Structure formats: structure tokens, C-alpha cells
């Protein structure tokens, strides 16, 4: 039975995530990710053009959640002058950020402290740059 391409792609992403978290971006090799994913190196490059593209894909759920959180600060509820409800909005905003930290702690550490040499390096200085 032939493995579906989406299954292979997800297996590569899961393996790369584990390798990036365990060894960092610099010390993770595409060969190791391919071997542990059960695919040939050449086949891995059919799914991802580079290690940087694979790294960005691994961190996409995190960057998507962070960008959504940052942009949510401009939601209508935050633009209100209703000072009596503003405190609850601030509390909700903080709890949303804490949920992101809880859900993506290893990925957040990778993004903020171990992304040297990737296109995501400097994300903390300009998080929404990929949206411009």
C-alpha cells in the first residue's frame, strides 16, 4: 500500500520538529531528518526546498498563533473607550498569550533563541514582517 504524500509530509515535519528541538537548527541535518522519517534525502527535497523552509514549516503553527495574537490587539473590543470592560480584555489578552506559551514552549524557545541562520532569525524584532 502506497503511503499518502500528506502522511509523508507530516512525518517529515514531526521528525524535523523533534530534531530541531533536541539539537537546534544548526546541528540538525537534513540527512538525519530524512533517515528518521523513512524517506530518501532527494525525496525530502521534493517536499521542502531547504532546511530553512522545513524549519519555517515546523514553526508555522507557532508563528501563525503569535501573529494572530498580536493582530488581535487591534480588534474592535480593544478599540473601545469603555473603560469599565477594558480590564477584562487585558486579562483575556494575557491569558491568550499564556496559552500560546503553554502550547508551543519548545517551538517558542527555538524561534526566540535558536533561529540563527534562518529566515526567522530576528522574528522577535519584527514578528509581522512575513505578513507585509
Amino acid at each position: 500500500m502506497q503511503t499518502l504524500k500528506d502522511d509523508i509530509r507530516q512525518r517529515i515535519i514531526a521528525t524535523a520538529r523533534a530534531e530541531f528541538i533536541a539539537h537546534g537548527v544548526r546541528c540538525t541535518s537534513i540527512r538525519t531528518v530524512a533517515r528518521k522519517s523513512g524517506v530518501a534525502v532527494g525525496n525530502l527535497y521534493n517536499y521542502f526546498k531547504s532546511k530553512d523552509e522545513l524549519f519555517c514549516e515546523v514553526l508555522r503553527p507557532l508563528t501563525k498563533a503569535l501573529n494572530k495574537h498580536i493582530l488581535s490587539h487591534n480588534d474592535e473590543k480593544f478599540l473601545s473607550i469603555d473603560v469599565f470592560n477594558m480590564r477584562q480584555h487585558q486579562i483575556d489578552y494575557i491569558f491568550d498569550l499564556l496559552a500560546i506559551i503553554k502550547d508551543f514552549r519548545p517551538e517558542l524557545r527555538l524561534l526566540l533563541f535558536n533561529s540563527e541562520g534562518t529566515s526567522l532569525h530576528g522574528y522577535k524584532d519584527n514578528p509581522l514582517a512575513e505578513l507585509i
Side-chain angles (χ1 to χ4, degrees), residues 61-102:
L62 168 62
T63 57
K64 186 177 176 181
L66 283 173
N67 290 341
K68 181 180 175 187
H69 179 73
I70 292 166
L71 292 172
S72 75
H73 193 66
N74 292 324
D75 284 351
E76 194 66 37
K77 67 182 179 184
F78 288 105
L79 301 177
S80 170
I81 60 170
D82 185 3
V83 294
F84 298 107
N85 289 325
M86 191 53 64
R87 179 106 171 118
Q88 186 58 48
H89 294 313
Q90 292 170 343
I91 291 168
D92 293 344
Y93 192 74
I94 290 168
F95 275 105
D96 289 344
L97 182 59
L98 290 173
I100 291 171
I101 293 169
K102 179 181 172 272

Side-chain angles (χ1 to χ4, degrees), residues 23-42:
H23 306 290
V25 178
R26 286 192 177 158
C27 294
T28 296
S29 76
I30 289 293
R31 287 183 191 275
T32 302
V33 172
R35 181 177 46 78
K36 289 185 175 185
S37 298
V39 298
V41 173

